[in-house]
Amino acid sequence: MAGEMRLEYAATTAEARHFAAVMIRRGYRVLVDRKVRRGLRPLPCRDLWQYA
């Protein structure tokens, strides 16, 4: 898809859920696939997303 940017990060379920909710409210499309694997970077500023 033109203009699409794909970023992959490792996050806990709570972090991913909170991050996705905030980004969706801002008009972004977010996919949480639960496929955490070696080599994924942790979600940036993860402290912001831990408590929803």
Side-chain angles (χ1 to χ4, degrees):
M1 182 180 265
E4 185 174 299
M5 181 186 302
R6 182 177 182 154
L7 303 170
E8 295 186 15
Y9 297 105
T12 66
T13 301
E15 292 165 349
R17 191 175 292 140
H18 187 195
F19 175 80
V22 170
M23 297 308 285
I24 289 167
R25 281 195 302 266
R26 287 173 169 70
Y28 292 92
R29 191 172 77 173
V30 177
L31 171 67
V32 177
D33 64 12
R34 299 181 187 210
K35 295 179 183 175
V36 178
R37 60 196 171 281
R38 288 181 116 178
L40 286 179
R41 295 172 289 169
L43 186 64
C45 303
R46 61 188 299 185
D47 290 349
L48 295 174
W49 314 112
Q50 288 179 355
Y51 308 102

